[in-house]
Amino acid sequence: MEEAKNPSLEEDFEGQATHTGPKGVIHDWRKFKLESEDNDSVPPSKKEILRQMSSPQSRDDKDSKERFSRKMSIQEYELIHQDKEDETCLRKYRRQCMQDMHQKLSFGPRYGFVYELETGEQFLETIEKEKKITTIIVHIYEEGIKGCDVLNRSLTCLAAEYPVVKFCKIKASNTGAGDRFSSDVLPTLLVYKGGELISNFISVADQFAEEFFAGDVESFLNEYGLLPEREIYALEQTNMEEDIE
């Protein structure tokens, strides 16, 4: 008895197959190339070649298989590798592939900024109702307390770099437990996951130098394993560097 095949990870969110083999990658590149071309600036002969190179084939059609498996002609090869425009198109193709992979590997909701919590009830609701897989980092602060303003700015930077982490801030006087969060213990960081407090750092600014930045806060949180790996987010940095070149 044949084993039932598991759903393939090659199926994208629209239900279309994503080619992963060498021939499939060439096919996807050809298709992307065709879709990226400006119809007003491409000669008809070039568009026809691109169309033939990217046209879908049925796996049950012998002729189609032969066309799909054939080697690229010199004309086709030169068409793909001809000039600087193709290099730009290739960068866009790589970027799209990385973004697709990023999306498929990034589970759960995405945030990207620091949420201001106005009341103790809103604070509790955020902790209790957020998804269990989400790490929530809450900064308890007050205006005029040393380190609070700098920490808020640092968390704003980290929120953009770690969008799967939910960063929040709330004034101590708004928590409903102001007596527990006096100026002596501010700024305080509380870290929650699955509705449970997993880390708390009182007077956290004491952990840093007189002047500290987002990178210092990031390193501190990483020491306790409170931030996800950055490999996935490095893809976005790669895209930015390619745009500058």
Side-chain angles (χ1 to χ4, degrees), residues 5-60:
K5 294 183 178 180
N6 293 326
S8 174
L9 291 177
E10 295 178 355
E11 293 296 327
D12 62 19
F13 295 105
E14 285 76 27
Q16 299 173 338
T18 300
H19 305 290
T20 56
K23 294 177 181 177
V25 171
I26 293 175
H27 172 80
D28 284 346
W29 155 246
R30 289 170 175 172
K31 184 173 183 294
F32 184 87
K33 173 74 174 177
L34 175 63
E35 294 174 349
S36 300
E37 293 287 351
D38 183 355
N39 291 330
D40 296 331
S41 62
V42 179
S45 59
K46 181 177 179 180
K47 287 195 293 185
E48 176 60 21
I49 293 175
L50 285 170
R51 185 193 65 77
Q52 294 175 3
M53 292 165 65
S54 62
S55 60
Q57 299 89 12
S58 169
R59 294 182 180 273
D60 297 328

Side-chain angles (χ1 to χ4, degrees), residues 29-37 80 83-96:
W29 155 246
R30 289 170 175 172
K31 184 173 183 294
F32 184 87
K33 173 74 174 177
L34 175 63
E35 294 174 349
S36 300
E37 293 287 351
I80 292 179
D83 51 29
K84 184 69 175 179
E85 292 181 359
D86 282 327
E87 182 179 346
T88 301
C89 189
L90 179 58
R91 286 181 178 177
K92 291 181 180 178
Y93 173 69
R94 289 174 55 202
R95 177 183 305 152
Q96 185 62 51

Side-chain angles (χ1 to χ4, degrees), residues 94-111:
R94 289 174 55 202
R95 177 183 305 152
Q96 185 62 51
C97 289
M98 289 190 291
Q99 289 175 345
D100 290 343
M101 181 177 68
H102 186 175
Q103 183 178 11
K104 292 179 181 181
L105 293 178
S106 297
F107 300 102
R110 297 170 63 81
Y111 308 98

Side-chain angles (χ1 to χ4, degrees), residues 37-175:
E37 293 287 351
D38 183 355
N39 291 330
D40 296 331
S41 62
V42 179
S45 59
K46 181 177 179 180
K47 287 195 293 185
E48 176 60 21
I49 293 175
L50 285 170
R51 185 193 65 77
Q52 294 175 3
M53 292 165 65
S54 62
S55 60
Q57 299 89 12
S58 169
R59 294 182 180 273
D60 297 328
D61 187 335
K62 181 178 180 180
D63 292 337
S64 296
K65 288 182 178 180
E66 291 177 353
R67 289 197 302 271
F68 184 76
S69 300
R70 66 178 171 80
K71 296 182 179 179
M72 286 188 292
S73 67
I74 295 177
Q75 187 178 22
E76 292 172 346
Y77 183 86
E78 291 178 348
L79 182 61
I80 292 179
H81 299 82
Q82 61 182 349
D83 51 29
K84 184 69 175 179
E85 292 181 359
D86 282 327
E87 182 179 346
T88 301
C89 189
L90 179 58
R91 286 181 178 177
K92 291 181 180 178
Y93 173 69
R94 289 174 55 202
R95 177 183 305 152
Q96 185 62 51
C97 289
M98 289 190 291
Q99 289 175 345
D100 290 343
M101 181 177 68
H102 186 175
Q103 183 178 11
K104 292 179 181 181
L105 293 178
S106 297
F107 300 102
R110 297 170 63 81
Y111 308 98
F113 60 93
V114 178
Y115 291 76
E116 178 76 46
L117 306 179
E118 302 291 345
T119 65
E121 289 76 13
Q122 190 178 4
F123 177 24
L124 293 176
E125 184 177 343
T126 297
I127 303 307
E128 294 173 354
K129 295 187 176 181
E130 193 54 73
K131 294 183 179 298
K132 293 183 178 181
I133 63 172
T134 300
T135 298
I136 306 171
I137 298 179
V138 182
H139 176 209
I140 300 178
Y141 74 102
E142 280 293 351
E143 301 290 350
I145 300 297
K146 182 179 179 180
C148 288
D149 186 52
V150 177
L151 186 55
N152 273 333
R153 293 199 300 269
S154 297
L155 295 181
T156 297
C157 295
L158 294 182
E161 295 183 13
Y162 295 91
V164 297
V165 177
K166 186 169 186 177
F167 290 86
C168 305
K169 62 181 181 180
I170 183 172
K171 289 184 177 180
S173 55
N174 292 339
T175 62

